Amino acid sequence: DATELEREREVILEEIRQGRDEPLRSMVQNMFASAFEHHPYALPVIGSEESVSRFRRSHLKSFQKRWYHGGNMALVVAGDFDPETMRKRLAKSFSGIPEGKPGQRRRRATAIPGPSAQLETADIHHSQLAIAFRAPPVDELDFAALDLLSVAFGQGDASLLAQDLVRTRELCRSVYAYVHALKEGSLFVLGASSEPEKLRRAVPVIGSHLRRLTETPLEASAIAKARHIIETDSVYQNETAEGAARSAGSYLSLVGDASFEASYLRRLATLSADDLRVAAKRYLDPARMQITALVPSNGKLTTSAQRRVAAKSIMSALAGSMQGAKAAASSSGKPSATVKKAPASELVEHRLGNGMRLIIKRDPSVPIVAARAVWSGGQILERAGNSGITELIASTLTLGCGRRSAQEIIEEVDGKAATLAGFAGRNSFGIRTEWLSEDWLRGLDMLTDCLLDPHFDEGEVARSKRRQISQVEAQLDSPQHQAFRLFREALYRKHPYRLNALGSVDSLSGLAAKDLRSFYRKNYRVADMTMAVVGDVDPKQLIARIESRFAGVKASHRLPRKEQVEDFANRSETARTVFGYMEREQAHLVLGFPGLTIDDADRYALELLTSVLGGQGGRLFVELRDRQSLAYQISAFSLEGLDPGYVAIHLSCSPEKTDDAYQALRNEIDKLVQSEVSSQELERTKRYLIGSHEVSLQRRSSVASAIAFHAAYGLAYDEHAHYAESIEKVTSVDLMRVAGRLFNWDLAVSATVMPLSATPEAAKRMKGTIKKRRKKRPGPRTGKATGKATGKATGKATGKATGKASGKGSGKRGTSN
């Protein structure tokens, strides 16, 4: 009916418009469009505004007559009935359906011509990534292999991807993998949801997992578990009449056999681990992958050119980590992203005549170059009067240099999807940068300009200072931050480590651009710098260019930094037990001890100790959270320094549980001092740390950082390459010895931030100071109290994988469409 047709047309057009408001729907459509170019599967099932607006009554009647007749129709009925009676009834009911010959099946969708990547922005909070590979139809053996692979790889909390990316690395909120079954060519889909700043780190990890699928057979237990999941799904599917009809109908439409499921399950049972590996190698090819990404529209990537560069960067990182020894190129010889074969590469060290140290590691497997320019220094050179100056220098060092203004640098770096930024730490300071190799020389020039001729523009310094002061004020709202502030100030009486890395409102207010210039020139002379470059570079060309750019820099005569000694002994329990008060639901506790220096021989044993205590599945998590329900979040970590750092535990809990939580902490720490860690626990922890380290070094930026920092601190610049060996050498006897060395209760410092109302005795002691402190500035009030400080807190370890994360992988499996 013409009237009904127009009414329905408007309904569908409105639905199409609504679909544009759902970014994920658009992302899925983009994925199909890329994967099935020149095939109807590339088109949206609902149609487009153009196609739906163009339809006329005659078009619909013609299409219906051609396709929707008895020869193309299948009917599946499932339930409690007599088959013969049902056949008679169906014959009568459907007798009016026109006869016709079965429609000719289309040819199988052609192979993907080459890799592609597209990135869009939307008003969302988390980035979404989908990676698709064309897969065979359902009735081919390789489909079953890929189906098994997808379940083991990315379905559920226990899948390989979820365990690493969600639970261990915490790089993704969720991950999934599935095979989308279609009649004329299926799709193997891998997807992830991640916080925007973590997506870039997650991509090479995903790629490394995909590469392992093509190189290393899955364990038999993982395959058995995946097979069991598929078989169980089948049981649940056929539990209802509706499910049984849907299953039979799906297989009937896909392969022409309503009973295919039984033979499909038998086929799964015959597949070996090597069958899965061969299928993965055949289909999970970076030269045929389609990448679709959706990221928050936060003012970046505003132009199509910027989005193309960002998409290419994702493809380069993914392709390189998937097959570093192969080229991700299209069959036409025009690659979307090129991955060159990486020859065996040695570290090349070069000393300039002025003393500057350059270390290069050539790695052309991915067209990315990462560099780090590093000095030892940072917060350790500050005093109370200028605290925060290093962080302020780091934030303004790259905002104007040479002939470039801050805006010019920002636009060029963002336009190239590159990174150029200063950084400041407790023991270091420098600049980090990453570029695609085709833009690297431009990036190198910009880096050297920032090192040699930073502007420290008055306006930029003022703006950065305002932002930093705002950050300092925002810290007052965080009970966790206040607990760490109290802890540092109680542990370090004189040392700069006691200071806030961001500084204070008073110290920052007194800083001007001239102070930053003076501090930078005095403490960070270019000749004292170590620069590490890792990636697709020619070492000889790079050395020549660095020599040219830094030719005018004179040798430095910087005096060695004098060690600042902190006396941790002979302090009363009152001085080592501090409290702060904030009206929050949770209490936070930091409990810690004086720690080690960066070059201490026991640093590897200490890393194992903190992982035994607070790592994923560590003793504190199991005992205090799982068994006793005393803490919600808990972690243990250590921070080494040029001078002795500290080892600490941070937990958060309900205020009424603080005493019990503190005592439970003491019990677990005492166990490490009094008895050896079992060989099983030690080996498990070693495997975790070594694996985490290896995965972290997939990124060129991580390797550049490791080289530069180790060299700047006076250690072997290739120490990262010997990490596994150093961890393996640690014995349970070493752990017990180091625990006894460090976990000395006469040196322990505890800092607790809790609601004032939860501590009546403390409230009495604090009564006379509360009103005065409220007048000064909002935030926690601090005081000293005898007795045991207790509470719950969470901690963040720099450069260490600590804590425990949980996530839920989502996805689809089985036949669909």
Side-chain angles (χ1 to χ4, degrees), residues 573-574 576-579 659 662 750 765 785-790:
E573 186 177 4
T574 301
R576 294 183 286 106
T577 308
V578 294
F579 291 87
D659 288 334
Y662 177 81
S750 66
R765 291 192 294 273
T786 58
K788 296 176 181 176
T790 57

Side-chain angles (χ1 to χ4, degrees), residues 363-624:
D363 180 0
S365 61
V366 177
I368 294 175
V369 180
R372 295 293 185 270
V374 178
W375 289 270
S376 64
Q379 186 187 13
I380 202 169
L381 301 179
E382 296 180 359
R383 299 295 179 266
N386 66 359
S387 66
I389 190 172
T390 310
E391 180 67 31
L392 191 55
I393 291 174
S395 66
T396 53
L397 186 63
T398 59
L399 294 178
C401 61
R403 298 180 179 179
R404 300 178 179 88
S405 67
Q407 188 60 35
E408 289 172 332
I409 292 175
I410 291 170
E411 290 179 357
E412 183 166 1
V413 171
D414 285 354
K416 297 295 185 181
T419 299
L420 178 69
F423 62 84
R426 299 165 75 247
N427 305 284
S428 62
F429 168 80
I431 298 181
R432 58 188 176 88
T433 189
E434 288 178 81
W435 296 75
L436 294 179
S437 55
E438 62 189 34
D439 303 316
W440 159 240
L441 293 180
R442 180 77 170 169
L444 177 60
D445 286 341
M446 199 177 298
L447 169 64
T448 52
D449 281 346
C450 289
L451 293 167
L452 294 169
D453 187 22
H455 293 173
F456 292 116
D457 176 80
E458 299 278 356
E460 296 296 341
V461 170
R463 275 190 288 271
S464 294
K465 186 165 70 171
R466 287 193 296 271
R467 286 194 295 269
Q468 196 161 320
I469 288 175
S470 178
Q471 290 177 284
V472 171
E473 293 174 335
Q475 289 176 336
L476 296 174
D477 295 328
S478 168
Q480 177 176 322
H481 175 82
Q482 296 306 325
F484 273 99
R485 178 182 63 82
L486 291 172
F487 171 78
R488 289 195 311 270
E489 292 175 353
L491 181 64
Y492 298 105
R493 298 295 182 84
K494 302 178 296 182
H495 199 283
Y497 287 164
R498 77 186 187 282
L499 303 171
N500 183 356
L502 292 179
S504 66
V505 174
D506 291 340
S507 66
L508 290 171
S509 298
L511 294 175
K514 62 180 179 60
D515 299 310
L516 273 62
R517 295 189 193 101
S518 175
F519 193 92
Y520 177 73
R521 289 168 181 164
K522 175 184 178 182
N523 295 292
Y524 303 115
R525 299 173 184 175
V526 173
D528 297 325
M529 178 183 67
T530 298
M531 181 183 291
V533 181
V534 178
D536 187 12
V537 296
D538 181 334
K540 291 183 179 179
Q541 181 188 50
L542 178 58
I543 290 172
R545 200 173 186 97
I546 292 292
E547 285 278 11
S548 174
R549 287 304 311 270
F550 292 95
V553 177
K554 296 180 180 180
S556 173
H557 300 288
R558 181 185 184 188
L559 295 175
R561 184 190 66 85
K562 184 178 180 180
E563 180 182 2
Q564 301 177 70
V565 180
E566 181 78 39
D567 183 9
F568 298 108
N570 302 315
R571 299 183 188 177
S572 67
E573 186 177 4
T574 301
R576 294 183 286 106
T577 308
V578 294
F579 291 87
Y581 303 96
M582 296 181 72
E583 291 304 317
R584 299 290 190 272
E585 295 294 325
Q586 295 277 296
H588 286 257
L589 166 70
V590 178
L591 171 65
F593 307 82
L596 305 178
T597 56
I598 287 170
D599 58 351
D600 195 292
D602 284 335
R603 61 189 182 277
Y604 292 104
L606 177 56
E607 189 168 353
L608 279 161
L609 268 180
T610 55
S611 192
V612 166
L613 273 174
Q616 182 181 1
R619 293 186 178 188
L620 297 179
F621 191 94
V622 171
E623 186 64 30
L624 274 74

Side-chain angles (χ1 to χ4, degrees), residues 766-776:
M766 296 294 298
K767 189 174 182 181
T769 63
I770 292 173
K771 291 182 179 180
K772 293 180 181 178
R773 298 194 177 196
R774 278 180 176 165
K775 290 179 181 180
K776 289 183 178 180

Side-chain angles (χ1 to χ4, degrees), residues 313-375:
S313 177
I314 292 175
M315 168 163 282
S316 298
L318 185 61
S321 55
M322 282 182 65
Q323 290 189 352
K326 295 186 177 181
S330 67
S331 57
S332 64
K334 298 178 181 179
S336 297
T338 301
V339 182
K340 305 171 186 176
K341 183 175 181 179
S345 177
E346 298 294 331
L347 291 171
V348 176
E349 182 181 13
H350 178 75
R351 287 271 189 176
L352 276 68
N354 56 27
M356 176 182 157
R357 194 176 186 185
L358 175 64
I359 305 170
I360 306 167
K361 180 177 175 62
R362 182 171 183 261
D363 180 0
S365 61
V366 177
I368 294 175
V369 180
R372 295 293 185 270
V374 178
W375 289 270

